[in-house]
Amino acid sequence: APQFYNAPSCPPILHNNSNSKVCSEDAVHVAMTLDEQYLRGSLAAIFSILQHSTCPQNIYFHFITANPSLQSAISHSFPYLTFQVYPFSDSAAEAVRGLISTSIRFALDCPLNYARNYLADILPTCVRRVVYLDSDLVLVDDILKLSNTPLGDSVLAAPEYCNANFTSYFTPSFWSNPTLSQTFADRKLCYFNTGVMVIDLERWREGHYTTKIIEWMELQKRLRIYELGSLPPFLLMFAGRISPVDHRWNQHGLGGDNFRGLCRDLHPGPVSLLHWSGKGKPWVRLDSNHPCPLDALWAPYDLLKTPFSLESSIDGITVKVVKVWTEERNLSGINNKIS
């Protein structure tokens, strides 16, 4: 990726010491996880964030990973990026694995998928606010707008979806238990996607929310009160208590459902962030030469694009056609006949 520079209007961040940027009030903090399976998506997400930011040099990335060697991939692709890598140790992963109950998709059961529960413990205490992002998304707007979301008295902010079938995220045994179902008393039950969140880490720490989420996960192991991985504990803690964000900041579900990953269209309205949540991932579908239409919007940010080559012989001359994904959609018709 090229180097990205701040606009003249960006506040300067002084570098008097090693902690000046990470502790600066003017820095935009972004937290993501890194693993081998989603690395290609992570790089695309980072690239999109930088490309659409007014103040890219003021962004500080925090990467949590079980494989610290992935740091070299970040450094190689983004030589000018300011970031820090935090190891999600074997002991931490093992402790989380003991709390995970199986869900409908294997990827949701990965311990690193639960790292968002521990951001307040992992990140430096001087970091007061962070934007947490999944690896299967791209931004087409300035992340500063999302980071500046007013939180009011809430611990976190995210787009809400109040028309979703909220009850389906929890088992009948949960709803039939008066003590458990009382958890949502006097709360408007709106689903939100944990792949895009603005979190007040100070309030999180003061409220001991990591401990509270762990307690729900321990109860889940005993009673099986919910489905779908790491999402329900967040719903139990925060549904109906978050600061709402415009839906443009999480056009989610572009990866289809969790079983087949079928193609989907955008939701009505403007778009600032496209999120391929669900089973289908754009890099997998592009490589298989069976992309969905919206995958063409992800392709321009793909720094690890895999070219497709086709060789044919015409009058003794070998001709090689190389297909590289661009924003155009008319590249899928290459066949064995070269004209």
Side-chain angles (χ1 to χ4, degrees):
Q3 185 171 6
F4 295 91
Y5 296 93
N6 282 357
S9 58
C10 297
I13 293 182
L14 302 178
H15 293 270
N16 296 327
N17 56 66
S18 59
N19 292 324
S20 61
K21 186 168 184 177
V22 72
C23 294
S24 171
E25 292 290 324
D26 293 315
V28 174
H29 295 278
V30 179
M32 302 175 67
T33 58
L34 290 178
D35 67 5
E36 295 88 344
Q37 184 179 1
Y38 287 90
L39 179 62
R40 192 166 165 187
S42 300
L43 296 179
I46 298 165
F47 190 24
S48 72
I49 293 168
L50 296 172
Q51 193 169 79
H52 294 283
S53 174
T54 303
C55 306
Q57 293 174 297
N58 289 7
I59 302 176
Y60 197 108
F61 285 88
H62 305 264
F63 300 116
I64 300 97
T65 181
N67 184 359
S69 66
L70 293 179
Q71 177 173 341
S72 61
I74 301 296
S75 299
H76 179 77
S77 295
F78 301 99
Y80 310 100
L81 196 70
T82 305
F83 70 94
Q84 187 168 342
V85 171
Y86 307 83
F88 200 62
S89 65
D90 292 341
S91 58
E94 194 60 35
V96 172
R97 189 175 286 109
L99 295 170
I100 297 175
S101 54
T102 56
S103 61
I104 60 176
R105 203 170 102 232
F106 176 75
L108 299 176
D109 300 336
C110 172
L112 195 61
N113 194 43
Y114 292 77
R116 70 195 83 189
N117 300 354
Y118 302 91
L119 290 177
D121 301 324
I122 295 173
L123 271 56
T125 55
C126 66
V127 178
R128 301 172 60 184
R129 174 182 290 219
V130 69
V131 178
Y132 175 82
L133 298 174
D134 275 351
S135 298
D136 51 358
L137 52 79
V138 294
L139 274 75
V140 291
D141 203 343
D142 193 341
I143 195 171
L144 182 62
K145 300 176 186 177
L146 178 60
S147 178
N148 285 342
T149 299
L151 288 175
D153 296 327
S154 301
V155 176
L156 63 84
E160 287 185 309
Y161 304 89
C162 298
N163 294 327
N165 184 7
F166 190 91
T167 58
S168 65
Y169 293 97
F170 300 90
T171 62
S173 61
F174 173 87
W175 295 113
S176 62
N177 186 311
T179 302
L180 294 177
S181 59
Q182 189 68 17
T183 302
F184 293 118
D186 303 321
R187 290 160 65 179
K188 185 178 181 181
L189 301 185
C190 296
Y191 158 81
F192 65 92
N193 180 277
T194 53
V196 179
M197 297 184 291
V198 182
I199 305 174
D200 186 320
L201 295 177
E202 281 192 321
R203 289 178 181 163
W204 184 289
R205 296 177 183 117
E206 292 169 358
H208 304 286
Y209 287 105
T210 296
T211 299
K212 293 174 181 177
I213 285 178
I214 290 174
E215 289 173 351
W216 279 116
M217 293 177 68
E218 291 172 341
L219 184 63
Q220 158 77 351
K221 290 290 287 187
R222 299 199 307 269
L223 301 180
R224 190 71 182 186
I225 61 175
Y226 59 74
E227 309 289 352
L228 204 63
S230 61
L231 169 63
F234 272 81
L235 297 179
L236 287 161
M237 292 305 312
F238 300 112
R241 295 172 176 168
I242 71 172
S243 180
V245 177
D246 192 285
H247 288 180
R248 68 187 302 151
W249 286 104
N250 195 354
Q251 284 267 0
H252 69 289
L254 304 185
D257 59 273
N258 283 300
F259 294 99
R260 292 179 294 174
L262 300 177
C263 297
R264 286 183 177 174
D265 294 327
L266 288 173
H267 306 288
V271 179
S272 291
L273 185 152
L274 299 106
H275 187 185
W276 278 261
S277 57
K279 185 178 181 180
K281 302 305 173 190
W283 56 91
V284 175
R285 297 193 294 214
L286 288 166
D287 285 354
S288 68
N289 207 27
H290 294 287
C292 292
L294 290 177
D295 295 343
L297 300 176
W298 180 90
Y301 304 100
D302 183 14
L303 295 178
L304 296 181
K305 58 175 63 72
T306 303
F308 163 103
S309 65
L310 172 68
E311 290 191 3
S312 184
S313 180
I314 302 176
D315 296 331
I317 300 174
T318 299
V319 179
K320 177 178 286 189
V321 177
V322 178
K323 181 189 75 175
V324 177
W325 283 97
T326 70
E327 293 186 54
E328 296 181 337
R329 289 285 299 142
N330 61 352
L331 298 180
S332 59
I334 296 178
N335 54 35
N336 288 327
K337 181 182 287 186
I338 299 177
S339 60

